[in-house]
Amino acid sequence: VLFRSAQYGLPGLTATLTHTRATVPDGRNFAKPDQVETDVDLRYYFSGKLKPLWLRLRGGYVDQDVTMGGDTYTDLRFIVNYDFSL
């Protein structure tokens, strides 16, 4: 799902939501835990004098099968980007 906010009066803001499920058959030599992951990505691109600057907020929730040695965790990141020439 991709949301572009210009149509709602918030130019420069985009949002992406992804949800995935990965399963591996049991009983294999290199079996990995089954996993469900949901991610949200928000980006804001500045305009005008701040145009090379854009901000990104990423959040993810990962739920792995603990019976196979998996883990469950949440990951949250705030990223500041500034494009420039060297």
Side-chain angles (χ1 to χ4, degrees):
V1 174
L2 179 62
F3 168 79
R4 294 192 188 274
S5 62
Q7 61 192 3
Y8 299 104
L10 298 169
L13 181 66
T14 63
T16 305
L17 173 67
T18 57
H19 180 76
T20 59
R21 173 180 292 274
T23 58
V24 178
D26 295 336
R28 305 287 177 151
N29 291 340
F30 299 104
K32 300 286 184 189
D34 295 343
Q35 175 175 305
V36 175
E37 181 173 347
T38 303
D39 299 300
V40 176
D41 187 77
L42 299 173
R43 297 180 186 196
Y44 183 76
Y45 296 89
F46 287 89
S47 60
K49 292 181 180 180
L50 295 176
K51 186 174 183 177
L53 177 66
W54 58 285
L55 307 176
R56 186 177 195 180
L57 179 63
R58 299 186 74 182
Y61 176 74
V62 177
D63 184 10
Q64 297 175 333
D65 184 0
V66 294
T67 62
M68 294 280 298
D71 196 8
T72 298
Y73 59 91
T74 302
D75 182 46
L76 185 61
R77 300 171 188 210
F78 179 71
I79 304 161
V80 178
N81 297 281
Y82 188 83
D83 297 329
F84 61 92
S85 300
L86 294 177

